[in-house]
């Protein structure tokens, strides 16, 4: 495949062509004037310095040099290659539950803080994969789009807090939809959602969203934050520490909904893990992802051009230098005499 890297310079050839036509017109007018002044045979005697063929050859040398210089500046390129490449990248969204129930301290220091620490460890274990952050409670929002800037992704994870979302609840369906909508349109990368939640107060549409994810070859790994025994939800009332209570004044007990999260993950290509297992989960998830069908062979056409401007630049400079040498005197000897003698 042939192309010019900087085709804008080719407009200079148009100007050069106009200059050539102007020179032709000037030479014609001079010849007409000389013919009216004297016969052809007397030119060399009356005007020794005027040689039509010599001037034409010098003009040709100069114009050719400038033309080659313009072509060199436009940088003609050629070359295209297709090769089969192995796709190994993963686009991974970490969806973190930031509802008030995640403040329960049935796992220390509390569910949310443990989830954030685990998510940071997961991000540190990535290599070349893109990661995005989605936070959710009563609704979900994109905190960080897919990126390989793990530093910024970690910063967004650390900033996660229930105060960031006013509507409380655990809208898992909205979290899954937010992740799916923000994936790249390309299908080359393996798509994975890591859902960190206690699964409490789940909405009725979560399983429907999981089925849509499965149809798009998206694996969901559900990480259960909390214990089946559960714990209470701390709240601050008039700067006093208390626990969330129901209408009867009894403290609300929040429990990990393991059966639901397990069914949700298994409805796709993912699995369920307990957050209490710590960093050992990360290696298991990475091993699962590596065994998925993401490592498929895809034929990708890409262009690898080789520049040919040096092959034009050298003769261009040589021609311009030749024209310059022909125009100067060297101790009474003009280089242009050689060109005249060769005619």
């Amino acid at each position: 495949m042939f192309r010019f890297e900087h085709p804008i310079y080719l407009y200079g050839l148009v100007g050069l062509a106009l200059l050539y036509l102007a020179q032709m017109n000037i030479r014609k007018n001079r010849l007409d004037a000389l013919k009216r002044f004297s016969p052809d045979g007397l030119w060399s005697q009356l005007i020794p310095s005027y040689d039509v063929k010599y001037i034409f050859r010098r003009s040709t040398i100069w114009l050719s040099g400038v033309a080659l210089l313009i072509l060199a500046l436009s940088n003609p390129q050629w070359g295209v290659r297709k090769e089969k490449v192995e796709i190994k990248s993963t686009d991974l969204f970490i969806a973190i539950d930031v509802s008030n129930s995640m403040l329960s301290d049935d796992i220390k220091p509390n569910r949310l803080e443990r989830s954030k620490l685990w998510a940071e460890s997961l991000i540190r274990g990535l290599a070349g994969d893109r990661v995005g952050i989605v936070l959710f409670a009563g609704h979900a929002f994109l905190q960080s789009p897919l990126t390989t800037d793990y530093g910024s992704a970690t910063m967004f994870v650390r900033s996660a807090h229930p105060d960031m979302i006013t509507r409380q609840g655990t809208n898992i369906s909205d979290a899954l939809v937010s992740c799916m909508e923000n994936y790249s349109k390309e299908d080359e990368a393996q798509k994975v959602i890591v859902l960190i939640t206690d699964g409490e107060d789940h909405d009725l549409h979560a399983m429907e969203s999981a089925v849509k994810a499965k149809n798009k070859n998206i694996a969901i790994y559900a990480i259960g934050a909390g214990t089946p025994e559960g714990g209470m939800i701390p709240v601050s009332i008039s700067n006093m520490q208390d626990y969330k209570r129901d209408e009867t004044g009894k403290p609300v007990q929040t429990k990990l909904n393991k059966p639901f999260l397990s069914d949700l993950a298994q409805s796709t290509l993912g699995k369920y893990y307990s957050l209490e297992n710590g960093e050992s989960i990360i290696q298991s998830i990475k091993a699962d992802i590596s065994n998925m069908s993401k490592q498929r062979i895809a034929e990708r056409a890409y262009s690898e051009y080789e520049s040919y401007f040096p092959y034009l630049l050298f003769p261009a400079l040589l021609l311009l230098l030749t024209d310059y040498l022909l125009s100067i005197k060297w101790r009474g000897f003009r280089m242009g005499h050689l060109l005249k003698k060769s005619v």
Side-chain angles (χ1 to χ4, degrees):
M1 183 177 180
F2 181 80
R3 73 168 190 177
F4 288 98
E5 185 180 12
H6 307 293
I8 189 68
Y9 290 111
L10 295 177
Y11 288 108
L13 294 177
V14 178
L16 198 63
L18 295 176
L19 180 61
Y20 173 75
L21 293 176
Q23 285 185 344
M24 292 288 291
N25 185 58
I26 292 173
R27 283 199 296 268
K28 181 178 182 300
N29 291 336
R30 286 181 177 178
L31 286 174
D32 291 341
L34 287 172
K35 288 179 181 179
R36 290 193 301 269
F37 179 74
S38 66
D40 295 351
L42 296 177
W43 291 355
S44 58
Q45 299 178 17
L46 296 174
I47 314 176
S49 61
Y50 186 77
D51 189 314
V52 176
K53 293 182 179 180
Y54 167 72
I55 295 174
F56 175 77
R57 282 170 170 75
R58 274 202 58 195
S59 175
T60 302
I61 291 173
W62 185 84
L63 289 171
S64 299
V66 174
L68 289 175
L69 185 61
I70 292 173
L71 290 174
L73 290 173
S74 65
N75 192 16
Q77 295 179 323
W78 184 87
V80 66
R81 181 176 65 189
K82 289 183 179 181
E83 72 173 20
K84 291 188 176 182
V85 293
E86 190 174 8
I87 305 304
K88 293 183 178 180
S89 61
T90 300
D91 284 348
L92 185 147
F93 266 110
I94 301 176
I96 303 177
D97 185 355
V98 292
S99 60
N100 285 331
S101 62
M102 291 291 288
L103 296 176
S104 176
D105 59 358
D106 53 347
I107 57 175
K108 303 299 181 182
N110 61 43
R111 295 175 181 177
L112 182 56
E113 290 303 316
R114 179 74 74 84
S115 299
K116 289 158 62 174
L117 291 172
W118 184 87
E120 290 181 34
S121 297
L122 175 61
I123 294 172
R124 284 196 299 269
L126 300 176
D129 299 320
R130 298 194 299 176
V131 61
I133 308 298
V134 168
L135 304 181
F136 71 97
H139 65 88
F141 70 93
L142 179 68
Q143 180 76 339
S144 171
L146 290 168
T147 179
T148 54
D149 185 353
Y150 300 147
S152 64
T154 299
M155 179 186 66
F156 286 122
V157 168
R158 290 175 181 172
S159 66
H161 193 272
D163 293 341
M164 300 178 72
I165 300 180
T166 55
R167 189 198 306 175
Q168 285 300 308
T170 308
N171 195 336
I172 294 176
S173 175
D174 201 21
L176 297 179
V177 170
S178 180
C179 292
M180 288 187 284
E181 288 179 346
N182 287 283
Y183 275 117
S184 171
K185 300 303 181 182
E186 299 177 357
D187 293 326
E188 293 181 348
Q190 174 66 37
K191 298 177 176 61
V192 174
I193 297 175
V194 176
L195 180 70
I196 310 175
T197 178
D198 52 27
E200 197 171 55
D201 296 330
H202 63 85
D203 63 288
L204 299 177
H205 302 290
M207 199 61 70
E208 296 177 7
S209 298
V211 172
K212 292 180 181 178
K214 179 182 179 181
N215 294 336
K216 295 182 178 181
N217 294 320
I218 300 174
I220 299 176
Y221 285 85
I223 312 300
T227 63
E229 295 76 21
M232 293 181 290
I233 304 173
V235 293
S236 179
I237 302 176
S238 300
N239 294 326
M240 298 291 291
Q241 195 69 25
D242 197 2
Y243 293 100
K244 184 178 181 181
R245 301 176 183 273
D246 59 19
E247 297 177 353
T248 65
K250 183 180 179 180
V252 175
Q253 191 82 2
T254 173
K255 297 181 181 181
L256 171 67
N257 195 340
K258 177 181 176 180
F260 166 70
L261 294 177
S262 181
D263 292 342
L264 185 75
Q266 291 178 8
S267 67
T268 67
L269 301 174
K271 292 180 181 179
Y272 168 83
Y273 294 97
S274 172
L275 187 61
E276 289 188 286
N277 293 331
E279 294 192 13
S280 61
I281 309 173
I282 297 175
Q283 299 304 321
S284 181
I285 292 176
K286 291 175 68 175
D288 288 345
I289 294 175
S290 66
N291 291 328
M292 291 180 182
S293 59
K294 68 164 187 172
Q295 293 189 6
R296 66 183 185 274
I297 301 298
E299 187 177 81
R300 178 185 296 168
Y302 68 94
S303 298
E304 187 176 276
Y305 292 98
E306 183 177 353
S307 298
Y308 286 87
F309 74 91
Y311 300 101
L312 298 172
L313 185 60
F314 178 75
L317 296 177
L318 186 62
L319 288 172
L320 293 177
L321 179 62
T322 301
D323 177 69
Y324 172 74
L325 293 175
L326 292 173
S327 65
I328 62 177
K329 290 183 178 181
W330 299 84
R331 294 183 180 179
F333 175 75
R334 186 181 292 273
M335 294 292 292
H337 292 167
L338 296 176
L339 185 63
K340 288 182 179 181
K341 293 179 180 180
S342 63
V343 176

